[in-house]
Amino acid sequence: MAETTPLCTADSLLESYEVLSNASHSSTDNADSFTGLSRDRRDIQTRRLRQGRYGDGSSGARMEGRLRKRRRAHGVEDPGMSYKVISSNFESLDYDIVENDLYLCEQKSKTHGHHLKIAVARWVVMFFIGALTAAVAAAVDITIDKLADLKHDYVFQSINNCMHHGCIARSLGIWLGISIALVLGAAFLVVYIEPVAGGSGIPEIKCFLNGVKVPRVIRLRAFVAKVVGVVGSVAGGLPVGKEGPMIHAGAIIGGGISQGRSETLRKDAGIFSYFRLDHEKRDFVSGGAAAGVAAAFGAPIGGVLFALEEGASFWNQSLTWRIFFCSMTCSFVLNLILSWYDGSIGELSNPGLINFGSFQGQPYLGYELVVFVLMGICGGLLGALFNFINFEVSKFRRRYTKYRPLSLLEPLLMVSIVVIAGMLLSFLISECHPYGFVPKIRPVQMFCPDGQYNAMASLFVATPEESIRTLFHAQQGAYNLVTLGAFFCVYFLLACCTYGLGVPTGLFVPCILTGAAFGRFVGVLMPMIFDDGDAWSHSGKYALIGAAAVLAGVLRMTISLTVIMIEATQDVAYGLPIMVVIMIAKLIGDIFNEGIYDIHIQMKSVPLLPWEPAEQTVNYSAPEIMSTPVKVLHYREKVERICHLLLTTNHNGFPVVDESEVTVSGQQTYGQFLGIILRSQLIVLLRNKVFESEDHATELGAFGFHGLRTLDFQDMYPRFPSIHVSQYVHDESSVTGTFQSRVTFVWTKLKLT
C-alpha cells in the first residue's frame, strides 16, 4: 500500500472532458480517424496502416477509403477538406509543478545545496545547448558551402565550355541530375524516416512552447532528418533557406540535452533526471530555439525576443537571462568555428549563418520615408498573396499527394522546375557584365560572350545567402529592371509552392531574397522616375527595406523581426525605417489573412489557443460546451473500471469526485469535484503496484508512500507505457482517493508494455 497525491494544472483539467465537437474525432493524421478507439488500440492500427496492411491484408489506400466512408457516415468532415477542426491527436503540456503530498514530503528533505546544484545545472545545460547548436549550424553551413562549390565547379564550368561546342543539353542534364540527387536524399529522410522534419519546424516549435505536445517533434530522428535534409534541400537548389530548420534543430538539442538520455538510442547517462518534467523541458526548448535564431542570423537578442514573442507563453526574469546566455554562447562559438574555417582564427566577424553586411555609406533621407511606407504597404500585400497561394497549394498537396511515393516525387518535380526556370530565364534575359564587375559572385557565362557572366544565371546559381548579399551591396547598374522583375516574379511563385514540401524548408531566406529583388527593383526605378541619379544612388538600401517588408508581410512578426534585421545588418541607423515598414506590412497583411506559421498550425488542426478569445465566447459557460457523460473517477474505484477507462478513452486526465451525487439548480451532477489525476500517473501507479486489498482497506489518509518517489514518474517521462489488460480478477479490489486526489490501487493481472 502506497499513496501519491497528484494534482493537475489547468491545461490537464481541460483535457479531462470531451469537447462536444466532431473535431475531436478528426485530424490530418490517419491515426485520428479511428474514432471511438482508445489511444493504445489506435496506435496499433495506425502502425499497421502506415505499413500498408490492416488485418485482412488490405492496403493502406483501401483502408484510407474505408476511413473516409466512416467519416461521411458519422457526419465527420474529411480533414483534407476542412481546416477549421481541432485534432484529438494532441495533448497539453503541464507547465506547473505537481505539488502533491509526495512532492512536498521530498522537498522538505532537500537542502540548500541540492537546490543550488539544480540552479547551476540549468546554466550548464544552457551553455551546452548553445555550444552544440553552434557546432551543428557551422557543420550545416560548411557542408552546404562545399557542395555549392563542387556543384558550381563541375556543372557550370561544363556549361561554360559547352557554350562553344553545342552540348548545352548535356550540361543541363548534369545540373538536373545533381540537383535531383541532393533533393531526393532530403525528401527520403522526411517522407520515409520522420515526416515531422518537413518544413521549417517553427510552427511545431511554436505550438510546443505554448503548451501543446506535438508528437515526435523533439526526437533524435527528427533532428537527423532535419539537419541532413536541409543540406540536400539548399544545396540542391530549392528556393529554401537553412535558417528556419536551425531553429527546430536548436529546440531538439535543448530538449535532448536537458533530459540526459536518449529514448531512441536507449541510452541513459544518469544525469539531469530532475529536469524530466514538462515545465523544465519547455524552458530548455525555448533556449534551444533562441540559440537557433542566434546561429542563423547572428542575433542573440533577436533570439530571446523570438522565443518570447512567438514561443513560450510562460516567462520569468531568470529564464530570460538563461536564454540570453544560451544565445550569446551560440553566437560566440559559431564565430570561433567559422573564423577557423575562413582561415582567420580569432577574427569574430561571422556571428551567424547569414550576414547582411554593413550599410554604412548608404544614408537615407527624410523624404525617402514616404517611399519606404509605400514599400511597406506593398510588402503587406505581397505577404498576404504569398500566404494565400501557399495555403491553396498546401490544400491541393494534402488532397492529392497522400501517398508517400507521390510525396517523394513532388520535391523532385519542384527542383526540376527551378532548374529549368533558371535556364530559360538566363536564355531569355541575357544581361551580361564583365568578370569582376560584381565581386564575390559565382560567375556563369551562360549565353554571354567570352569574358562576361550572366547576371540572371548568377542569381540562380549562387546560394540564396550569396544572392541576398549581392542584391544588398552590388553597385548601381549590376542588375537592370527586366532581370530584377523577372527574377522576383518567378522566385516568388517558386517559393510559394516550395514551402510545405516533404523536405526541410526554411522560409526566412526565400522571403528575404524575394523582398530584396523587389526592393532593388524600386531602387533602380527611382532615378528613372525623378531623373536625379545622385539623390537615389544607393539601391541596396531599398533592397534591405524590401526584404524587411516582404518578410514581415509573410511571417507577421514585429519586435523580434525588427531586432533580427538590425542585428543582421550590424547597424542601427536603419532601425527607424525597418520598424515602420515591418509594422505597416503586418497591419496590411492582417487585413487579408494570418501569418504563414499560424495558417499551417490551423492546417495541422493543432488546438493552439489564440491570444484573445472569440467575442462570442462571453455568452457561453463551461457546461454548454461539454458533452456527457463525463468520464470521472471516485475516490474509491475498482481497478477493472480504471483499466476500462484507460483502454476506451484517450483523455490525458480524469476528474476525481466524491461518491455522493449532488443536485445543482435542479440538475443531477456527477458528484462534487475533488481533484484530478493524469493518465500517466495512473499508469505509473499501476506499474509500481501501488494498491490495497478491499479486505485490508485503510482509512483515507492512513497509508504511506511505500517507496514511491517522484523519480518513478520522471524515469518514465516523456514516453509513458501503454496499458493492455490480459485478464481481470473479479474481486473486491478498489482504488481509493481523498480530497487531495490521494489514490491507491489494488493490483490485478495487468500487462504493461
Side-chain angles (χ1 to χ4, degrees), residues 728-740:
Y728 286 122
V729 176
H730 297 285
D731 57 11
E732 297 301 322
S733 303
S734 62
V735 181
T736 306
T738 67
F739 180 80
Q740 295 86 6

Side-chain angles (χ1 to χ4, degrees), residues 1 632-642 645 655-660 670 672 674 677 682 691-703 731-739 741-746:
M1 295 175 292
V632 300
L633 293 174
H634 297 98
Y635 62 78
R636 183 181 296 275
E637 283 284 4
K638 291 185 178 180
V639 173
E640 180 177 0
R641 183 171 183 274
I642 298 295
L645 279 179
V656 180
V657 300
D658 59 10
E659 294 183 350
S660 61
Y670 293 90
Q672 185 176 0
L674 302 178
I677 188 167
L682 290 172
F691 60 87
E692 65 177 358
S693 171
E694 182 72 15
D695 296 335
H696 301 86
T698 59
E699 293 297 328
L700 298 181
F703 39 76
D731 57 11
E732 297 301 322
S733 303
S734 62
V735 181
T736 306
T738 67
F739 180 80
S741 300
R742 185 174 293 122
V743 179
T744 60
F745 286 86
V746 182

Side-chain angles (χ1 to χ4, degrees), residues 216-358:
R216 305 184 306 277
V217 70
I218 309 293
R219 296 280 182 88
L220 179 61
R221 183 178 297 179
F223 173 79
V224 173
K226 178 73 73 173
V227 172
V228 178
V230 74
V231 172
S233 300
V234 176
L238 284 174
V240 300
K242 55 182 176 288
E243 285 70 20
M246 280 310 308
I247 298 174
H248 186 189
I252 297 175
I253 292 172
I257 292 180
S258 62
Q259 302 305 291
R261 67 180 176 186
S262 171
E263 294 287 347
T264 303
L265 300 177
R266 300 185 183 277
K267 300 293 183 181
D268 191 340
I271 57 175
F272 305 140
S273 60
Y274 33 77
F275 293 148
R276 295 171 187 172
L277 300 168
D278 280 344
H279 73 279
E280 293 284 1
K281 185 174 183 178
R282 185 152 51 156
D283 287 349
F284 292 115
V285 170
S286 299
V293 175
F297 300 97
I301 300 177
V304 176
L305 294 177
F306 174 84
L308 175 60
E309 181 180 2
E310 292 293 320
S313 53
F314 295 86
W315 203 263
N316 57 64
Q317 186 176 14
S318 60
L319 179 61
T320 303
W321 283 112
R322 291 198 301 271
I323 290 180
F324 177 68
F325 172 73
C326 182
S327 300
M328 180 183 62
T329 301
C330 180
S331 183
F332 176 73
V333 174
L334 181 63
N335 243 320
L336 287 178
I337 298 175
L338 293 182
S339 65
W340 167 81
Y341 173 69
D342 293 337
S344 54
I345 301 177
E347 184 179 340
L348 304 181
S349 58
N350 299 287
L353 300 183
I354 181 172
N355 186 359
F356 295 161
S358 176

